Amino acid sequence: MAHIDLLLTGGDLLTVNKPFDRFSPGALAIHDGVIEAVGPAREITDTYTADEVVDCQGCAIIPGLVNGHTHAPMTLLRGLADDLRLDVWLMGYMMPVEREFVRPDFCWLGAQLACAEMFRSGVTCYGDMYYYEEAVADATAEAGMRAVCAQSILKFPTPDSASFDAGLRLAQDFVTRWVGHDLILPAVGPHAAYTATAELLRGSTQLARAYDVPIHIHIAETEEEVSQQVETHQRPVVSWLEDQGLFEAPVTAHHCVHLDDDQLRVLRHHRVGITHNPSSNLKLASGFAPVTRMLALGIPVSVGTDGAASNNDLDMFEEMRLAALLAKGVSDDPTALPARQALAMATRLGAEALHVAHQTGSLEVGKQADVAVVDLERIHLTPRFEHGSDGGDSLASALVYSGKSTDVRHVLCNGRWVMRDRELLTLDVEELRRRAAKVAGRIDTFLAAREENVLSKLVAIGGVDRVETFEVQVRIRFDDAAVVEEVLEREHLTPVRTSRRHQYDTYFLFGERDTSRLRYREDEVLAETVDGQIENVVYRLTLIGETKHREFPRSILLSRSRFDAPATHSRRFYREYFQPEDEIRVHKHRRRYHVRYGGTDFALNLDRVTRPPLPGVYLEITSRTWSAQDAERKAQLMAELLDLFGVATREIVRAEYVELAADQLGSPAPNP
Amino acid sequence: MAHIDLLLTGGDLLTVNKPFDRFSPGALAIHDGVIEAVGPAREITDTYTADEVVDCQGCAIIPGLVNGHTHAPMTLLRGLADDLRLDVWLMGYMMPVEREFVRPDFCWLGAQLACAEMFRSGVTCYGDMYYYEEAVADATAEAGMRAVCAQSILKFPTPDSASFDAGLRLAQDFVTRWVGHDLILPAVGPHAAYTATAELLRGSTQLARAYDVPIHIHIAETEEEVSQQVETHQRPVVSWLEDQGLFEAPVTAHHCVHLDDDQLRVLRHHRVGITHNPSSNLKLASGFAPVTRMLALGIPVSVGTDGAASNNDLDMFEEMRLAALLAKGVSDDPTALPARQALAMATRLGAEALHVAHQTGSLEVGKQADVAVVDLERIHLTPRFEHGSDGGDSLASALVYSGKSTDVRHVLCNGRWVMRDRELLTLDVEELRRRAAKVAGRIDTFLAAREENVLSKLVAIGGVDRVETFEVQVRIRFDDAAVVEEVLEREHLTPVRTSRRHQYDTYFLFGERDTSRLRYREDEVLAETVDGQIENVVYRLTLIGETKHREFPRSILLSRSRFDAPATHSRRFYREYFQPEDEIRVHKHRRRYHVRYGGTDFALNLDRVTRPPLPGVYLEITSRTWSAQDAERKAQLMAELLDLFGVATREIVRAEYVELAADQLGSPAPNP
């Protein structure tokens, strides 16, 4: 009789080794954190005595689950913003909040919270990718959890690095410190092809190869990303990454939703592991990953929860069930991805995908003792059948299709108890919950402040400067455009230059909430040729506050636009982000004359409003200004111009186009 | 101060009424099983004193969930057979087991087990449809659960009715007994259009209208069903049901996966409620129901788990989450079916779909007190945000995207506590589990017995008789077909009739498991014209046991085919149901001459084997027989025929075609 540390016996043991051996009742002998023996209970208990013997009757003994992909610290952002489109979610909420809050202590706390939730769902190993990965690794190691921790690197400034060079240095420091740790495998995380440069990827690969650690990268998560990539590099994304030499390191690729067989074969050739994240892909409507194809090609595919900000939990029981169910629905084949395979993806194949299969993923002699003991005596697991190949199918089916994370009773990670009878032994849950609530409170305050008005919400998404501009302006209606041309000629107001354009304006109105208007303008600049082809399209976003800053004689107005910048997102993005109460569209054809008068530049816009159709034409005389004194002088010159055009005061239109449009449409008059 | 029975106070209360009012902290005043008041905690506690006051701090107070569609007794078949195609699952497993086991006590036990599981996930009302619905209603009422119980009626014999007339009578008895019950609303359950006749539907409608009770019916669950329906009635399924007057009664339609907008509008017009069953639709690969369209059209859509045999649990938290996630993925729009709407589907809209919205589905004054109290102080619900419309969005999001059924702490149904601190008060869980395990054991034994050999497995799926036939047979190889024709002419063996056919045989082989072979034959009968068009296609299934029952001189064999019948399922069905170890295909062109010789009928089959290609032609002389004496006489006549053909003994082929094929293909020789 050999004496060992620990004996788990009497349970329904699924090894999830390749032949899917089941021992019922089975036993597991563990010594020094390593699996010493696995087999029929009688055989093992006849061979070993142990310091601790745990009776697992009524339970399944299975490998600890492997969560292939998450961003552990984002657990602190769980439920922050849901039911939004990816860009609104990411650029409207995640990134601004991350910019403001992500620091090492945030990452440490989020990672501990994530470990607590994962242990409680039977997870003993996970793949992570975030900023300040040092803090994630430290929090994870302290929890006693196994993880592959990838330090994110992007070509943009991130919460932890001002540049990707700094990111690479940070990653190298991190890898150096953690390589060889018994729980943490450090990794290099170039975030994705579309957020990387060729240099960034080559630097990452070099680093990964130098320390023999894996690379984690998001690949082909959305269709848009894939088509943009092809446009930029004239190569499919996987091929382009291959060109950069990325796959010379061991790689784990996240998502891979939009890849065809050819691209998958490239991944297989390079022994790349894939993580499949069904909840996240559904929630963000990223598409349906071709999981059955990946598996058929022999690629190790892991199941991942992705971050709790897009899931919104880290429940691997749910995730493996969803992987199994979704594959059937998508492939129109109910025999696709059977329970056994789903369980293997959440364990052995997951470990392979993360390049840690030598340590974990199945209950086999020589592997580390990462084990979940699952209570089968639950009402939702009643009854159970023994029907099917040796009953192994039935047990896998019970775990995958009916099991819940809350059925996990005990968890052993690296041979150490981290949960007994659902009590976490290495983490202080109440303390974590208290601290997390505090962080959430601060984030709530931050978001509430930025929601106060449209301007602060606009500033929050960043990427644009806050510049205030002033304009002196007057608007006159004529029945006919010819009048204007005539006057220009008669008065020798030769335009310095002219332009023609179609302007498609969308005004977002906010009712009581905010008196500002946000104008999204698509400016189609037309060529000065007979056919007037579109030469250029310019998108601008303008926040218009109190329009009438000051009024001069003859209704000449000094107006202020508080913010004016290129519109880097779509109109749809701004609509979903700002959630206006109303929206009015104004389309017009504009002929613009740049003239000099009294030594001063003026723009004369001759506008025909086509949506909603307004009769006549409008002449807008406008000039930018930077001081009150300059404004006064320009207003004086404008009054002279009005005289040249023979404008009677009654022809002066004080209303803005959006107001005229609202009037025409019978909408309530927009603010202010 | 009014005095009432029960006060729930201090919780985060979501009414799920139409404006989605939230009170945080809120309170609920309950008297005589009815909601007396709902509002801010302070306001309610200032107005009422109560016999019992429950502090719900740290919890959400929400309406009890409504599970729109299940087959409660099938909870006893949970996990019996998974990862199979619908027909194999239904006809190979569910129906044979139901035929054998479904009795009132089975249904009673299954329904109680279902109620236990549903209470534990916060469900207080469900829609059921099964056999012996009397037992289901009784078990449910005893548990203290609310339900709409539909007695299934099919045109085929069912476990509780030999004919649909008997089914209608049973339904009438059932409805009469239960109508007016305070928990159970009896209903009539014509199973589906494709399992009904027009008379069955009219009878069901008459019955439902006479007692003013709902009808439950499956509509358009699979694409196949929909196209078959159109073929049979030349009308889309909904229109055909409308023609039968079905919608003159209040109807709840289950699944509705394959309906276009026109058909959905018909349902809306008739105020039909729909149940959406996402897990079941995925698991059986039935398709993706157009849920967002249904909701946009204003149809009340409920979420349902369907039976535990195709889900495999009754977890409404999972189901509402999946409904929300799947709608986004399928519509390619992450803003589709937001958390609030999913929660409404699982409560208020669910009650509307089941035609019980006057009683349950939201926390509103006058409704019955059906309430779930959900613990929010869980690690997987940490942190929570207050961001979004009054925080109601955040709470809905937490419940839908992160909540678990195991977070439900207390449940009140019809004003009565049925669960406190996760302890079920009206059901004996241990006793239910013990009894369910016993039933499962008996089913396991039944299935094991039928799996013993191919014949018993074949008999188990029924629909065919077990007939043993015997044949006297000899097979000879010739180099050339002309020889045979010459002999027939020379010997004046004028054929009574002839036929030509292509025969596509698939032999399923079972290796060590069973020495029988199962032959699936597709017989293309060709016209006796020059162009030889296909006149008819016949599918037959033949189980071939010990082929060589007896041998006469000159290798004339008496063979036995133990089973021979029309093949009513597809080859794919038999393959997936029997799971052969190997499969060999033999294709041949057969010319058959029916001749009389010695006053006896013989068939002469002149065969050219094309797959795998075998050289020469084969002549099979064969005759059916019913007795040993008759066999002897026929063998004697056959020996004479062999002489007429000048056959040398070495030309006689003792091997079957499948053996010759296996030899040609280099496969291991098939048994026996």
Side-chain angles (χ1 to χ4, degrees), chain B residues 263-304:
Chain B
Q263 297 277 288
L264 289 175
R265 279 196 197 93
V266 175
L267 296 183
R268 179 185 58 179
H269 174 76
H270 293 290
R271 299 166 185 280
V272 171
I274 291 180
T275 72
H276 170 47
N277 305 273
S279 286
S280 171
N281 291 348
L282 282 179
K283 188 148 183 286
L284 299 171
S286 309
F288 302 99
V291 188
T292 49
R293 289 302 307 148
M294 295 170 184
L295 290 165
L297 288 168
I299 298 172
V301 185
S302 163
V303 175

Side-chain angles (χ1 to χ4, degrees), chain B residues 326-342:
Chain B
L326 197 58
K328 299 176 210 311
V330 169
S331 64
D332 200 12
D333 176 3
T335 68
L337 225 169
R340 262 184 198 233
Q341 202 170 21

Side-chain angles (χ1 to χ4, degrees), chain B residues 566-594:
Chain B
T568 51
H569 302 301
S570 66
R571 179 171 61 190
R572 199 259 311 140
F573 172 88
Y574 295 114
R575 179 186 301 129
E576 293 179 7
Y577 175 66
F578 286 103
Q579 306 198 326
E581 287 190 8
D582 208 350
E583 158 173 352
I584 292 178
R585 301 213 188 167
V586 179
H587 295 181
K588 60 180 175 287
H589 179 268
R590 167 166 288 184
R591 179 155 192 100
R592 174 176 287 175
Y593 305 90
H594 291 274

Side-chain angles (χ1 to χ4, degrees), chain A residues 78 80 82-84 93 312 315 318 321 328 334 338-339 380 382 386-387 397 401-402 404 406 433 444, chain B residues 78 80 82-83 93 312 315 318 321 328 334 338-339 380 382 385-387 397 401-402 404 406 433 444:
Chain A
R78 179 204 312 278
L80 175 67
D82 291 312
D83 301 319
L84 298 172
Y93 291 86
N312 297 352
D315 187 328
E318 253 181 60
R321 169 160 49 247
K328 299 176 210 310
H380 57 270
T382 302
E386 283 297 318
H387 170 69
S397 177
Y401 295 126
S402 313
K404 293 187 201 303
T406 48
R433 288 198 58 245
D444 263 332
Chain B
R78 180 204 311 278
L80 174 68
D82 291 311
D83 302 318
Y93 290 86
N312 298 351
D315 187 327
E318 252 182 59
R321 171 162 44 249
K328 299 176 210 311
H380 58 271
T382 301
F385 294 90
E386 283 297 317
H387 171 71
S397 176
Y401 295 127
S402 313
K404 295 188 202 300
T406 48
R433 289 197 58 246
D444 264 333

Side-chain angles (χ1 to χ4, degrees), chain A residues 384-602:
Chain A
R384 292 205 303 118
F385 294 91
E386 283 297 318
H387 170 69
S389 325
D390 300 325
D393 280 339
S394 285
L395 181 55
S397 177
L399 292 167
V400 171
Y401 295 126
S402 313
K404 293 187 201 303
S405 60
T406 48
D407 301 335
V408 177
R409 206 163 143 184
H410 315 306
V411 177
L412 201 64
C413 187
N414 210 37
R416 174 190 181 193
W417 287 115
V418 291
M419 186 169 84
R420 283 301 290 273
D421 287 312
R422 295 204 63 66
E423 195 73 40
L424 292 176
L425 304 177
T426 58
L427 292 156
D428 182 346
V429 173
E430 284 319 303
E431 172 67 8
L432 291 173
R433 288 198 58 245
R434 203 185 50 73
R435 287 172 59 191
K438 240 176 153 171
V439 173
R442 292 213 312 273
I443 295 174
D444 263 332
T445 307
F446 166 77
L447 286 176
R450 87 163 193 187
E451 299 285 326
E452 259 173 22
N453 58 58
V454 175
L455 176 61
S456 61
K457 202 163 171 186
L458 184 58
V459 171
I461 50 174
V464 277
D465 290 324
R466 179 175 176 170
V467 178
E468 301 193 71
T469 64
F470 293 85
E471 236 170 3
V472 195
Q473 194 179 45
V474 68
R475 189 177 294 109
I476 317 119
R477 204 188 78 83
F478 291 96
D479 289 330
D480 191 348
V483 179
V484 178
E485 303 269 356
E486 263 172 47
V487 172
L488 288 176
E489 196 144 326
R490 195 185 65 211
E491 302 292 336
H492 306 293
L493 282 169
T494 322
V496 184
R497 61 197 154 87
T498 64
S499 70
R500 292 191 302 153
R501 50 190 68 200
H502 291 301
Q503 286 184 326
Y504 304 97
D505 291 346
T506 304
Y507 290 89
F508 293 134
L509 310 173
F510 300 92
E512 298 289 298
R513 236 164 80 202
D514 196 305
T515 58
S516 306
R517 296 170 201 158
L518 197 62
R519 185 183 69 200
Y520 177 86
R521 169 169 289 178
E522 184 182 342
D523 228 337
E524 273 182 12
V525 184
L526 306 176
E528 286 287 340
T529 53
V530 179
D531 59 355
Q533 279 183 316
I534 298 167
E535 259 189 345
N536 192 12
V537 185
V538 179
Y539 299 90
R540 293 196 75 79
L541 192 69
T542 306
L543 181 69
I544 302 157
E546 318 141 43
T547 43
K548 288 145 202 176
H549 189 61
R550 186 171 159 201
E551 185 164 350
F552 299 100
R554 303 203 68 184
S555 300
I556 295 169
L557 302 175
L558 179 63
S559 72
R560 186 172 74 160
S561 79
R562 284 196 286 179
F563 173 86
D564 180 47
T568 50
H569 303 301
S570 66
R571 179 173 61 190
R572 200 258 312 140
F573 172 88
Y574 295 114
R575 178 187 299 130
E576 294 180 6
Y577 176 66
F578 286 103
Q579 306 199 326
E581 287 191 5
D582 209 349
E583 155 172 357
I584 292 178
R585 302 210 187 168
V586 179
H587 295 181
K588 59 179 176 287
H589 178 265
R590 167 166 288 183
R591 179 155 191 99
R592 174 175 287 174
Y593 305 89
H594 291 272
V595 300
R596 286 188 71 81
Y597 178 79
T600 302
D601 289 327
F602 288 94

Side-chain angles (χ1 to χ4, degrees), chain B residues 246-265:
Chain B
L246 189 82
F247 302 128
E248 288 161 29
V251 170
T252 303
H254 305 306
H255 300 294
C256 300
V257 176
H258 301 277
L259 294 183
D260 60 19
D261 271 22
D262 284 347
Q263 297 277 288
L264 289 175
R265 279 196 197 93

